[in-house]
Amino acid sequence: MSEHDDVWKVNRERDGEAQRFESNFPEYGPIAKTFAPVAGFGVTLRNFFRPTVTEQYPDEKTPAMPRYHGRHQLNRYADGLEKCIGCELCAWACPADAIYVEADSNTEDAQYSPGERYGRVYQINYLRCIFCGLCIEACPTRALTMTNEYELAGPTREGLIYEKQDLLAPMEDGMLAAPHPMVPGTVDDDYYKGDVTQVVQEQTAWVRERRPDDPTLPENRSAEDDASSRPAQQSPDAALSGPAGPVGGRTRG
Amino acid sequence: MTSTADKATAEVVETVTLTIDGTEVTVPKGTLIIRAAEQVGINIPRFCDHPLLKPAGACRQCLVDVAAPDREGNVRPFPKPQASCTMTAMDGMIVNTQNTSDEAKKAQEGVMELLLINHPLDCPVCDKGGECPLQNQAMSHGHAESRFIDVKRVFEKPLALSSEILLDRERCVLCQRCTRFSKEIAGDAFIDLQNRGAMQQIGTFDEDVLDFDGYEPIGVAAEDESGKAFSSYYSGNTVQICPVGALTSAAYRFRSRPFDLVSSPGISEHDSSGAAIRTDHRRGKVLRRLSDNDPVVNEEWITDKDRFAFAWQNLSDRLERPLVRGEDGELHEASWPDAIARAAAGLRAAAGRTGTPADRKAKGVGVLPGGRVTLEDAYAYQKFARVALGTNDVDARTRGASDEEQAFLGSSVAGTGLGVTFGDLEKAPTVLLVGFEPEDEGGVVFLRLRKSVGRQSVLTVAPFLSRGAEKLSASLIQTAPGGEAGALAAVKAGTDTADALSEDGAVVILGERLATVPGALAEALRLAKRTGARLAWIPRRAGERGAAEAGALPGLLPGGRDAASEAARDAVAQAWSVGSLPEAAGRDAAGIIAAAAAGELSGLVVGGVTPSDLTADLRAALTATDFVVSLEVRRTEVSEHADVVLPVAPTFEKPGTFVNWEGRLRGFATAIRTEAISDHRALDFLGRELGVDLKVGTVADVNEQLAVLGAAPKGQRMKAPTVKAAKPAPATGDQLILASWHMLVDEGALQDGEPYLAGTGRTAVARLSAHTAERIGVKDGVVTITGAAKGAIELPVVVTEMADGVVWVPAKSPGSWVAQELGVEPGTLVTVKGGI
């Protein structure tokens, strides 16, 4: 007899000594006992008459809760300048290493954000992102926030790396697309404090001189509004239907 | 200082014992409290303190509680906290840092609060964010909340001190590390403390920028000839030592964050000093380079070229795949096996090793590795030439060179191990510079010499006292180029110079330019023998010393062996397990190029050689030669002429060893792993295809062989040169002697793609003495210089106190490519005419 058998034997003896299981439920009566095998049908039958909870996704899309952690958005100031300064604090905070940022200098000819620095490259890899929101907490200018957009799937790995143009907030009415100069007489601090509330004449003139066809110029915008359409890359639906870049069925990696 | 005195101080070090935070520590007398604390692992916060700069006590962040014994020996506390970075430790002192003293802690927090009053706290946009001492210490030793509610002082930002260095005065905490570095270490006054009180700031000397409102700028900035405020060659160090983000570099501006970067230690490929650097790269792209701390070589300083010139390796013309010239006469991408097979076939035919009657027509192959190679690459090139191609036609000296220099290198440099060191330079009582500009050609050598200003007499044999020599307080032995040998011969026993050089530890520094001065190196050897001074040969390029050690010179085998000596050849042949080595004397680089241009060579193997650096016509040679193999990092002029181009790795992407001028091995590992291969590996492939196993596939293979070979034994070593000094040609009429050397920042191939650095280079000018300028009749302040080549150099004239009959121009600065345009080496006559 091996040691193992000893152990087995001892354990079985202990089993015997252990208290037998006794249910606390009351014993059913004879009628209940009779119907017990088909009691489950009762549950089904009951639910026929209850309101349905099934959501007809994707035919019908239900809005998520207001603070749902969905796709990120890079916000703009009221005059259309980007809030992102390319500081990489979001990338630093990211526990999943999902964010990649490269900054660059704003110049007189190309001012994208108030101050000296802007984010030239901004990528979020939604295959890595865990939607924890630490990046949002880290952002010093409130440039990065999260939307309720949750449809983040796609056929390719590249396609799920969202670029800056995929993440930038749509141009609202009255905004002027960057790059353009800051409001004259302001410094970056004025923007951070929220003192800049609208596009001024000088900014519009600057853009008109350099990019007369810019769709966000007032004259071009009114024509657009008549057709009730917005530039495709800035429409929220465009970002929803998949990121820019070579999506078309490529399945590399 | 004599060596006996040196020993005495080394033996008896007076020490003091003090107590810091209850821990007793014994340190040498004169140690600062902050350093003593470091020794027991107590960190006192600091900004202005830097171990290589003199104490300043400027930031007051290192305040500690100190009690010291008075005259009666009673330990009495100082009434107020003291700056530990300026107070030396004394016996019986009791120091309580922020760890044990509430008063010290409160004082430090107060200082921190004061420093942060005007600090913009724009950390998210600041390049220093994440590696900022101010940020770190504000977290560890500061208040969490600011009580300051008023408006902060604002300055215009950033202020460009030069095209490379940007100053943000708002962020500055006035620690003066940068100004102290500029004054104490580099000797370039380009910034200083300006104004007073709350408006005190670091600034340039430009009143318009500073808007002083009644105050005059303090001091004056040195200006170069164009009137442009002087940019220092060492200004990048101020960025590195700035404890806040006040000084940043244009090249690294907003590029990255410290947590993105992978740091790899390395060795600079820019000069023969072998400065230790740290390469920071992100996703396989180098973003910046910093100085590493190597106390025996570069301390913590590097030149701006070491720091900023790295873009060359990843420009758009970088070669990634081998190129082979097709039937259509164009270069096409090919696979490595194809390219190697093609190169081997061509070289076999050119070297006459096909075993067919066509061999009789083959005239042989010349090998030009270039002076930027690592020790391993140089070794592979020369072994490839001698074993696979059966020729001694290999020369890494693609610059002015001579047989005399080769004899000098073979007899006194190669295989001599560690000679004069940086430390020896610092301690030398006398340093004689011959054909060597410390600042332009020496890099960090200059900083070591400058460290001893006042304790050391520096003599320079040069046509005029350059700004670098001036900063060393050097005395000039005015000599026209070509006259260096005579100047050395004139240092006869009994003269002051000879006496100074006879002092123990005196050093004579010889520059690579002496190669073209007949008799200069031979004369230097005689001078050394006469006076007992030690010789240090300091070339410019990083690979020169390694090439001499590896034997990548026509008459030199590894370890300083003489290729003409049968014993040496046999010894090397035995070590390499080959029957014999080629006996015929090899040609030097100029000889190889001339022979190739004349159709006397059937093939060329060219490494990192830039045609415009050479007076010899490499372009003609490349065109005339039947078969050219180029091993290059980038698509260059050479590769355009080549039949097969093999892409090789730049220094970041390969391991290797540079031998610096001291003879110190400066090994470095791969910083960025790529598929690129080293020259020696490519040559190993080629060798195999040619049917020889060169055993140079890896760094370890090469080092193993070098270790076996060792230095040359006495009988196999080259004989010292005995060339007599030649009288330099006299300058007559509009014929002037050309003087020239390379500026540190110029248009060298390794500085391509870095506009910010290029902006800090000196403006190119032609220098003439007043007498000479009058003689040739300078019109409009401009001269036109012509030489043996077809080109001409037109430069504005600056009248300088210098030797008559001499014209000086920078060797490869914008608008002044001497080798290409004039086709002559310094020391020869050129025609100089006033006006354009």
Side-chain angles (χ1 to χ4, degrees):
Chain A
M1 214 188 223
S2 73
E3 194 187 339
H4 180 84
D5 291 336
D6 279 346
V7 173
W8 190 86
K9 208 175 150 201
V10 169
N11 282 343
R12 294 291 73 71
E13 281 167 8
R14 282 192 191 154
D15 285 352
E17 288 160 17
Q19 243 185 336
R20 305 303 300 181
F21 171 74
E22 280 178 23
S23 172
N24 288 332
F25 285 114
E27 283 274 308
Y28 289 117
I31 298 171
K33 264 189 181 166
T34 313
F35 284 105
V38 292
F41 290 115
V43 176
T44 310
L45 209 66
R46 205 158 55 231
N47 275 298
F48 281 158
F49 307 102
R50 286 190 173 169
T52 168
V53 293
T54 308
E55 289 177 7
Q56 293 304 318
Y57 180 84
D59 296 332
E60 288 167 24
K61 287 174 187 167
T62 326
M65 299 303 275
R67 292 171 72 176
Y68 177 81
H69 283 190
R71 178 179 67 77
H72 299 78
Q73 173 169 286
L74 285 170
N75 299 312
R76 298 173 191 272
Y77 289 107
D79 67 350
L81 283 181
E82 294 159 12
K83 285 188 175 178
C84 177
I85 50 170
C87 70
E88 300 193 31
L89 287 182
C90 47
W92 210 331
C94 184
D97 196 12
I99 306 182
Y100 178 79
V101 186
E102 273 182 37
D104 212 335
S105 301
N106 281 318
T107 59
E108 273 178 29
D109 296 329
Q111 178 97 35
Y112 289 90
S113 70
E116 300 171 82
R117 180 174 178 143
Y118 79 102
R120 183 171 56 81
V121 176
Y122 197 99
Q123 297 176 340
I124 297 183
N125 185 345
Y126 281 105
L127 291 166
R128 288 187 177 181
C129 179
I130 57 166
F131 301 95
C132 63
L134 288 179
C135 45
I136 308 307
E137 285 184 39
C139 184
T141 60
R142 216 72 185 111
L144 194 67
T145 52
M146 279 171 144
T147 64
N148 291 347
E149 173 51 52
Y150 50 81
E151 291 184 310
L152 297 159
T156 63
R157 284 170 183 274
E158 296 93 325
L160 281 161
I161 299 172
Y162 277 44
E163 298 280 350
K164 189 175 159 188
Q165 69 268 21
D166 310 321
L167 296 166
L168 267 173
M171 302 295 292
E172 282 169 24
D173 284 344
M175 281 183 179
L176 190 60
H180 60 69
M182 291 159 66
V183 172
T186 59
V187 292
D188 43 357
D189 271 354
D190 299 320
Y191 277 82
Y192 303 149
K193 286 178 197 152
D195 294 345
V196 174
T197 52
Q198 58 178 13
V199 178
V200 295
Q201 201 57 45
E202 287 90 337
Q203 292 173 306
T204 321
W206 192 92
V207 174
R208 190 172 290 130
E209 191 188 320
R210 284 161 185 82
R211 305 193 304 270
D213 299 329
D214 193 295
T216 56
L217 279 171
E219 58 267 32
N220 302 338
R221 186 185 279 276
S222 57
E224 297 244 334
D225 283 346
D226 291 345
S228 67
S229 69
R230 277 178 173 163
Q233 105 246 19
Q234 275 143 2
S235 118
D237 291 345
L240 201 152
S241 62
V247 178
R250 267 211 294 154
T251 49
R252 207 190 69 186
Chain B
M1 195 189 287
T2 62
S3 66
T4 44
D6 225 350
K7 268 179 207 155
T9 51
E11 276 162 15
V12 188
V13 177
E14 217 176 323
T15 59
V16 292
T17 302
L18 70 161
T19 311
I20 304 175
D21 286 355
T23 310
E24 204 162 87
V25 57
T26 305
V27 291
K29 198 175 179 182
T31 306
L32 298 168
I33 295 175
I34 201 165
R35 301 264 170 286
E38 279 168 8
Q39 290 192 9
V40 284
I42 295 164
N43 180 44
I44 301 170
R46 84 287 303 264
F47 297 114
C48 68
D49 172 68
H50 191 283
L52 296 178
L53 300 174
K54 286 180 192 145
C59 72
R60 317 307 292 176
Q61 186 59 53
C62 63
L63 293 178
V64 291
D65 240 1
V66 182
D70 63 9
R71 259 170 276 175
E72 281 84 46
N74 307 318
V75 176
R76 288 169 50 175
F78 278 66
K80 287 179 180 174
Q82 299 295 310
S84 59
C85 74
T86 49
M87 185 172 265
T88 50
M90 65 188 273
D91 233 351
M93 211 176 223
I94 295 169
V95 177
N96 287 312
T97 70
Q98 72 280 359
N99 299 326
T100 48
S101 157
D102 284 340
E103 201 183 341
K105 189 168 161 36
K106 190 160 175 269
Q108 287 179 8
E109 284 174 356
V111 169
M112 176 62 75
E113 198 173 8
L114 199 70
L115 290 176
L116 289 178
I117 278 182
N118 276 317
H119 191 81
L121 296 176
D122 58 349
C123 307
V125 293
C126 177
D127 272 335
K128 203 80 178 184
E131 53 182 2
C132 175
L134 180 63
Q135 208 177 24
N136 295 344
Q137 290 176 33
M139 299 302 231
S140 59
H141 301 286
H143 280 300
E145 301 269 321
S146 172
R147 292 181 290 173
F148 188 72
I149 49 164
D150 299 294
V151 179
K152 294 196 182 220
R153 181 189 60 191
V154 287
F155 285 121
E156 187 197 330
K157 62 200 284 182
L159 178 65
L161 297 179
S162 66
S163 60
E164 185 66 79
I165 310 296
L166 306 172
L167 170 66
D168 188 320
R169 287 167 288 166
E170 289 178 6
R171 293 178 188 149
C172 179
V173 295
L174 299 173
C175 72
Q176 300 176 50
R177 272 191 188 182
C178 54
T179 57
R180 282 185 291 149
F181 171 82
S182 303
K183 280 185 213 158
E184 291 170 22
I185 309 288
D188 298 310
F190 69 105
I191 42 174
D192 209 341
L193 267 187
Q194 308 284 5
N195 225 325
R196 312 191 69 175
M199 288 308 285
Q200 192 172 45
Q201 55 186 286
I202 298 293
T204 57
F205 301 91
D206 188 343
E207 275 179 86
D208 298 339
V209 176
L210 296 171
D211 188 19
F212 276 151
D213 196 24
Y215 281 105
E216 295 274 312
I218 298 160
V220 282
E223 285 181 354
D224 78 356
E225 282 70 24
S226 65
K228 177 173 87 173
F230 225 98
S231 334
S232 173
Y233 283 152
Y234 307 96
S235 57
N237 291 305
T238 60
V239 175
Q240 191 172 342
I241 59 174
C242 181
V244 298
L247 288 161
T248 52
S249 72
Y252 181 67
R253 188 169 160 80
F254 304 157
R255 285 289 176 280
S256 190
R257 288 283 174 205
F259 73 93
D260 297 322
L261 300 170
V262 180
S263 298
S264 312
I267 299 297
S268 170
E269 77 277 28
H270 286 295
D271 58 37
S272 63
S273 295
I277 53 167
R278 193 182 104 191
T279 304
D280 283 357
H281 46 99
R282 178 187 198 183
R283 289 193 174 192
K285 199 179 150 202
V286 177
L287 287 173
R288 67 170 174 186
R289 303 210 301 194
L290 299 173
S291 170
D292 233 345
N293 182 11
D294 193 334
V296 292
V297 177
N298 57 316
E299 299 190 312
E300 283 182 45
W301 319 123
I302 53 174
T303 64
D304 282 3
K305 186 155 83 165
D306 292 338
R307 185 179 302 270
F308 296 119
F310 54 78
W312 66 275
Q313 58 137 13
N314 262 334
L315 292 177
S316 52
D317 57 2
R318 170 80 189 269
L319 289 162
E320 281 173 358
R321 279 182 204 83
L323 302 174
V324 171
R325 198 166 291 283
E327 300 278 313
D328 54 356
E330 298 292 318
L331 286 171
H332 298 285
E333 282 196 355
S335 70
W336 269 99
D338 283 352
I340 292 285
R342 178 73 196 283
L347 289 176
R348 186 180 287 126
R353 297 200 154 192
T354 55
T356 59
D359 283 355
R360 256 174 273 156
K361 281 188 194 158
K363 294 167 195 150
V365 183
V367 180
L368 297 170
R372 303 181 184 111
V373 284
T374 60
L375 175 68
E376 290 79 8
D377 291 341
Y379 181 83
Y381 273 110
Q382 62 86 25
K383 193 172 181 189
F384 181 74
R386 293 192 167 114
V387 177
L389 302 174
T391 175
N392 274 323
D393 285 345
V394 53
D395 194 354
R397 301 170 299 166
T398 45
R399 52 175 169 84
S402 64
D403 287 347
E404 181 193 350
E405 186 198 25
Q406 178 169 283
F408 171 76
L409 294 180
S411 65
S412 319
V413 175
T416 56
L418 197 63
V420 177
T421 61
F422 276 101
D424 294 340
L425 284 190
E426 191 184 323
K427 277 183 261 162
T430 309
V431 177
L432 175 65
L433 312 170
V434 194
F436 178 75
E437 274 312 315
E439 199 181 27
D440 286 317
E441 296 175 306
V444 289
V445 174
F446 169 79
L447 297 184
R448 269 308 172 96
L449 291 173
R450 184 140 204 300
K451 218 175 156 186
S452 307
V453 163
R455 283 176 278 143
Q456 182 176 62
S457 82
V458 178
L459 304 159
T460 175
V461 177
F464 65 94
L465 199 62
S466 66
R467 192 167 173 275
E470 210 174 300
K471 283 189 284 184
L472 295 177
S473 312
S475 28
L476 178 69
I477 302 173
Q478 201 177 64
T479 313
E484 285 92 343
L488 289 176
V491 183
K492 294 258 161 54
T495 59
D496 289 350
T497 315
D499 289 347
L501 287 172
S502 306
E503 277 181 67
D504 210 4
V507 176
V508 180
I509 297 182
L510 307 168
E512 66 175 28
R513 283 182 278 129
L514 290 185
T516 56
V517 182
L521 291 166
E523 209 50 70
L525 285 170
R526 277 178 220 130
L527 176 70
K529 212 169 182 186
R530 248 189 345 256
T531 58
R534 301 171 74 194
L535 295 180
W537 179 68
I538 308 190
R540 235 165 30 84
R541 292 195 180 119
E544 298 275 3
R545 175 76 191 252
E549 298 288 340
L553 268 63
L556 209 53
L557 296 172
R561 289 176 177 80
D562 186 1
S565 140
E566 200 177 342
R569 281 203 307 275
D570 287 348
V572 174
Q574 203 184 357
W576 287 351
S577 315
V578 293
S580 65
L581 293 186
E583 280 177 41
R587 286 172 269 224
D588 65 5
I592 292 170
I593 293 167
E600 289 161 21
L601 278 177
S602 307
L604 277 178
V605 177
V606 188
V609 182
T610 314
S612 56
D613 284 347
L614 292 161
T615 50
D617 195 351
L618 182 59
R619 294 183 187 96
L622 293 169
T623 322
T625 313
D626 298 337
F627 194 76
V628 179
V629 178
S630 164
L631 289 88
E632 255 296 4
V633 176
R634 295 162 57 196
R635 214 172 157 139
T636 60
E637 236 180 314
V638 175
S639 49
E640 288 314 308
H641 286 96
D643 295 279
V644 178
V645 183
L646 303 176
V648 289
T651 37
F652 298 134
E653 298 178 19
K654 68 181 189 186
T657 312
F658 283 123
V659 187
N660 77 352
W661 62 264
E662 302 169 289
R664 199 186 294 275
L665 296 176
R666 307 289 286 159
F668 57 93
T670 312
I672 301 172
R673 237 165 248 292
T674 62
E675 286 173 3
I677 61 166
S678 266
D679 299 43
H680 63 82
R681 192 157 173 76
L683 290 167
D684 190 66
F685 293 160
L686 263 179
R688 278 165 205 270
E689 195 71 16
L690 286 166
V692 227
D693 185 3
L694 296 174
K695 300 195 187 74
V696 292
T698 64
V699 170
D701 287 344
V702 175
N703 287 335
E704 200 176 304
Q705 291 178 51
L706 282 168
V708 169
L709 284 164
K714 224 171 183 187
Q716 300 175 13
R717 191 169 271 286
M718 230 175 197
K719 297 228 164 26
T722 50
V723 181
K724 284 256 159 59
K727 259 225 155 102
T732 51
D734 57 2
Q735 297 279 299
L736 301 184
I737 302 172
L738 176 70
S740 179
W741 56 77
H742 287 262
M743 304 274 93
L744 186 87
V745 176
D746 62 4
E747 294 194 325
L750 299 194
Q751 295 171 60
D752 284 353
E754 192 43 72
Y756 301 116
L757 175 68
T760 66
R762 308 276 185 265
T763 312
V765 293
R767 292 179 189 278
L768 295 167
S769 71
H771 180 73
T772 316
E774 196 181 317
R775 199 179 85 200
I776 62 162
V778 175
K779 289 175 219 140
D780 321 323
V782 178
V783 285
T784 304
I785 305 163
T786 48
K790 281 180 189 147
I793 290 176
E794 288 155 14
L795 286 177
V797 170
V798 169
V799 173
T800 311
E801 197 180 308
M802 64 189 283
D804 284 335
V806 176
V807 58
W808 179 90
V809 290
K812 213 184 177 185
S813 293
S816 179
W817 287 23
V818 169
Q820 175 173 303
E821 301 299 333
L822 304 184
V824 292
E825 296 292 346
T828 42
L829 291 175
V830 288
T831 312
V832 182
K833 288 200 170 81
I836 297 176

